[in-house]
Amino acid sequence: MPRYDKIVILTGAGLSAESGLATFRDEDGIWARYDYRDVATPEGFERNPSLVYEFYNMRRHDGGTARPNPAHYALTHLQRKHPGEILIVTQNIDILHEAAGATNLIHMHGDMATMLCTNCDARPPWIGDLSAELACPECGLTGGLRPNVVWFGEMPYEMDRIAAAIAACDLFISIGTSGNVYPAAGFVAGARDAGAHTVELNLEPSDTASYFAERRHGKATEIVPAYVDALLKEEAR
Ligand code: BV8
């Protein structure tokens, strides 16, 4: 019988840092260069759509050249080898989890490989640049396309499915996130209420570190593979 039966793993920008993608709140992070109100809110998009198109075109270019790192592959290995049910909930819009072969994955803040048409609500795959002139492949209208990304003040995706998974989990692991942004930062409290063991794997203590029963700090490419190996050894005993 596996020691843990239902595992939820929350990931953030720190997981992709060693793949060369900038985090948000480190001193050289994205929010040191852009004001989130200009590029990650519906109001910002309304005010200056071309700045937002440019911001996400840049993020998509960077994401397109990045490769998964050993931490992404360790999580895929865990999903394949562990007997329990393992859901990965990522705040990241890069698609490095998919590139590493992850399954059972939710992009709660959207992703950079699709776009959203505000005219017909379609979310077609799209890895090129976005612009106001682009016509939606579904409805053919122009002027309605935006990044399929959850901005501040917008409801994250699949919250019901995430809430149910957290209420049922017996292990909650948070990797590479500063615990600043809700509702994701509140998941650990829900997991604790569900009686789950809670683990933080992060470069340094996050803003919600005190909520975690276990904390391991270091680079994701080192501490995540080590933690996955220990978990699989535990299950094999
Ligand atoms: C919602 C877009 C409700 C995608 C992002 C007060 C006023 C207004 C709003 C609020 C408020 N209080 C709470 C809110 C809600 C708000 C919020 O939380 N604000 C915060 C800032 C206070 N949240 C929202 O608005 C959310 N929506 O609440 O909707 C609602 C209800 C009903 C109906 C409608 C709506 C939406 C939140 C999503 C916002 N979108 N970005 C994109 O462009 O990518 S936020 C942005 O932050 C990203 O999504 C990112 O994923 C997320 C979290 O950041 P992290 O991933 O944690 O990254 P960060 O840089 O912060 O940390 C990196 C960590 O990694 C660090 O700890 C670092 O030490 C570590 N690290 C670095 N290197 C490594 C490493 N670890 C290991 N190894 C390494 N090598």
Side-chain angles (χ1 to χ4, degrees), residues 145-158:
L145 291 169
R146 57 166 273 189
N148 183 23
V149 161
V150 176
W151 287 327
F152 286 99
E154 295 184 324
M155 179 60 91
Y157 283 131
E158 302 215 51

Side-chain angles (χ1 to χ4, degrees), residues 198-216:
T198 52
V199 182
E200 170 173 274
L201 305 177
N202 205 52
L203 187 64
E204 62 209 0
S206 73
D207 287 12
T208 49
S210 58
Y211 281 87
F212 290 87
E214 185 182 352
R215 295 178 284 273
R216 297 186 183 197

